[in-house]
Amino acid sequence: MSAAGAALLVGCSGGSDSGGTQGGTPAADRARARAARDSEGLAGRYEAVMAAHPGLAERLRPLHAEVVRHAEAFGAVSTASPEVSPSASARAAGPGNASGAVPTVEKDALALLAAAERELADRRAEALLEVPGELARLLASVAAAGAAHVYLLTEGHG
């Protein structure tokens, strides 16, 4: 599973520079900005789960790092810290978890992350039809990585 995840991470990060923002349409610029915000929010969820469940940190750290790289590829300026504080749990709010609370059971916390990854991958796949080539390729790549993250969060570790 680790090797598959690593191969996927390498594959989706290649060619994902943010240089494609120049000359973009307003719709593409909005889509890119939304994708950056969505990835930043997802990174915050990972941080919150790792803070609430330190035993999951080793398993989640590579996925979190990839989500941070996705945000950067979409143009976000990363402020993510390798250290995860307990206050990060306050940033876990979003689709499927409006309260912001991280479930106390590890399995439920993983399910929360998987649901967030799935929703975001689906939304990005839908957005492909509305954006130009390079951004569409980046969205497709990141959506595929998100789908793989869902697998790794649900099936990949028993």
Side-chain angles (χ1 to χ4, degrees), residues 41-93:
L42 185 57
R45 284 179 166 205
Y46 274 94
E47 292 164 11
V49 170
M50 289 187 290
H53 299 285
L56 293 174
E58 183 177 334
R59 177 177 175 188
L60 297 179
R61 199 170 288 118
L63 301 178
H64 171 260
E66 185 61 18
V67 170
V68 169
R69 284 191 293 273
H70 294 162
E72 292 168 349
F74 288 120
V77 178
S78 177
T79 59
S81 163
E83 299 296 320
V84 178
S85 69
S87 66
S89 63
R91 294 190 301 255

Side-chain angles (χ1 to χ4, degrees), residues 6 13 24 43 87 94-95 106-107 112 127 148-149 152-153:
S13 61
S87 66
E106 284 186 359
K107 184 176 180 179
L112 174 78
H149 289 182
L152 293 171
L153 290 165

Side-chain angles (χ1 to χ4, degrees), residues 114-155:
E117 287 273 16
R118 185 177 297 113
E119 180 182 328
L120 195 49
D122 290 347
R123 191 176 337 143
R124 287 175 171 163
E126 289 175 15
L128 292 175
L129 301 175
E130 302 169 9
V131 296
E134 187 60 33
L135 180 54
R137 284 187 288 279
L138 179 57
L139 280 170
S141 178
V142 173
H149 289 182
V150 170
Y151 172 78
L152 293 171
L153 290 165
T154 58
E155 308 294 330

